[in-house]
Amino acid sequence: MSENKYPGIFVTLEGIEGVGKTTSMRFLAEYLHQHDVPVLITREPGGTPLADDIRHFLLNEHDEEVQPETELLLMFAARAQHIAKVIRPALQAGKLVICDRFTDTSYAYQGAGRGIEKSKIKALEDVVQDGLKPDLTILLDAPIEVGLSRIQKREKTDRFESETKNFFVKCRQGYLELAAAEPERFVTVNADQSLESLQKELVGILASAIKQVA
């Protein structure tokens, strides 16, 4: 685990579309509430009314093509608001914060997926986050075909879910490279296993993380 300067614990869930992040978040939220752990569940882009407005723009299709740099800047605009209004206050209050996506998404999607240089993303990270990083990042990983098959079963897809297979191949590779570069922060979990086994593994990972900082 990495270390932040707050009494709370910052955990993020990452992965390409269709790996089950939303289902995992709901399970963890319910599990932690049942065990009286003070937890805040949030997501990106979004997390505040203003950031949710940006999320709405990012996820919807537009007649005008959204440039990769525009997409990246909007992501960090929403992130700046989210950090200031939600994440930092919760960590300062000693809560366990679990966030569906954070800056690793920008490196995987806008970096590996869209082709934006890592140095440009890092510059925005430095400005917006001022040293804030997750203590633990759980990467839900599955073969591209698994994620795509789940997306195809949805009644409606957003702008990212409608991307090509090649885009997701690049995003997944970006995630795996991030995990390899920071093994002390990342835990990679096989998302293509039974729901029961996956949830048991997630509980074990969280319990270990809480114990390390207790």
Side-chain angles (χ1 to χ4, degrees), residues 16 18-19 140-147 150 172 189-192:
I16 63 168
V19 294
L140 297 174
D141 181 59
I144 298 297
E145 291 73 19
V146 172
R150 293 173 179 174
R172 184 191 182 205
V189 175
N190 174 21
D192 188 23

Side-chain angles (χ1 to χ4, degrees), residues 6 11 17 21 23 25 29 35 45-46 54 62 66 68 77 80 91 94 99 104 116-117 140 145 151 167 179 200-201:
Y6 303 103
V11 178
E17 311 302 323
K21 288 186 294 78
T23 301
M25 287 282 286
H35 290 77
I54 298 173
H62 304 278
V66 178
L91 292 173
C99 188
D104 293 305
I116 295 178
E117 296 174 12
L140 297 174
E145 291 73 19
I151 293 172
F167 174 78
K200 183 178 180 180
E201 187 172 354

Side-chain angles (χ1 to χ4, degrees), residues 44-60:
E44 287 208 346
T48 79
L50 178 57
D52 281 338
D53 285 344
I54 298 173
R55 175 188 179 88
H56 180 77
F57 177 88
L58 283 165
L59 268 56
N60 282 291

Side-chain angles (χ1 to χ4, degrees), residues 9-79:
I9 306 171
F10 187 19
V11 178
T12 55
L13 261 64
E14 294 282 0
I16 63 168
E17 311 302 323
V19 294
K21 288 186 294 78
T22 301
T23 301
S24 295
M25 287 282 286
R26 289 172 180 164
F27 164 75
L28 290 174
E30 181 63 26
Y31 176 85
L32 291 165
H33 285 312
Q34 289 176 355
H35 290 77
D36 297 320
V37 177
V39 60
L40 171 72
I41 302 296
T42 189
R43 68 178 183 181
E44 287 208 346
T48 79
L50 178 57
D52 281 338
D53 285 344
I54 298 173
R55 175 188 179 88
H56 180 77
F57 177 88
L58 283 165
L59 268 56
N60 282 291
E61 298 285 355
H62 304 278
D63 293 334
E64 181 180 352
E65 180 184 0
V66 178
Q67 293 299 303
E69 291 80 7
T70 303
E71 185 177 275
L72 177 67
L73 289 167
L74 286 170
M75 287 286 187
F76 271 98
R79 185 164 296 135

Side-chain angles (χ1 to χ4, degrees), residues 198-210:
L198 173 61
Q199 292 178 343
K200 183 178 180 180
E201 187 172 354
L202 290 174
V203 167
I205 292 168
L206 265 191
S208 177
I210 294 171

Side-chain angles (χ1 to χ4, degrees), residues 119-210:
S119 60
K120 293 181 179 180
I121 302 174
K122 181 63 166 60
L124 290 170
E125 178 184 357
D126 291 342
V127 170
V128 169
Q129 294 170 224
D130 191 28
L132 175 67
K133 293 196 73 169
D135 294 294
L136 168 68
T137 297
I138 301 173
L139 174 59
L140 297 174
D141 181 59
I144 298 297
E145 291 73 19
V146 172
L148 290 178
S149 67
R150 293 173 179 174
I151 293 172
Q152 290 167 357
K153 294 176 183 177
R154 297 173 182 173
E155 292 184 8
K156 185 178 179 180
T157 55
D158 62 40
R159 192 170 64 87
F160 288 102
E161 292 169 340
S162 301
E163 277 289 351
T164 65
K165 178 180 179 179
N166 184 54
F167 174 78
F168 290 121
V169 168
K170 290 188 285 187
C171 290
R172 184 191 182 205
Q173 183 59 37
Y175 271 128
L176 294 175
E177 290 175 2
L178 289 167
E182 293 189 65
E184 72 285 350
R185 175 166 68 90
F186 274 85
V187 175
T188 302
V189 175
N190 174 21
D192 188 23
Q193 59 178 307
S194 71
L195 185 60
E196 181 180 359
S197 296
L198 173 61
Q199 292 178 343
K200 183 178 180 180
E201 187 172 354
L202 290 174
V203 167
I205 292 168
L206 265 191
S208 177
I210 294 171

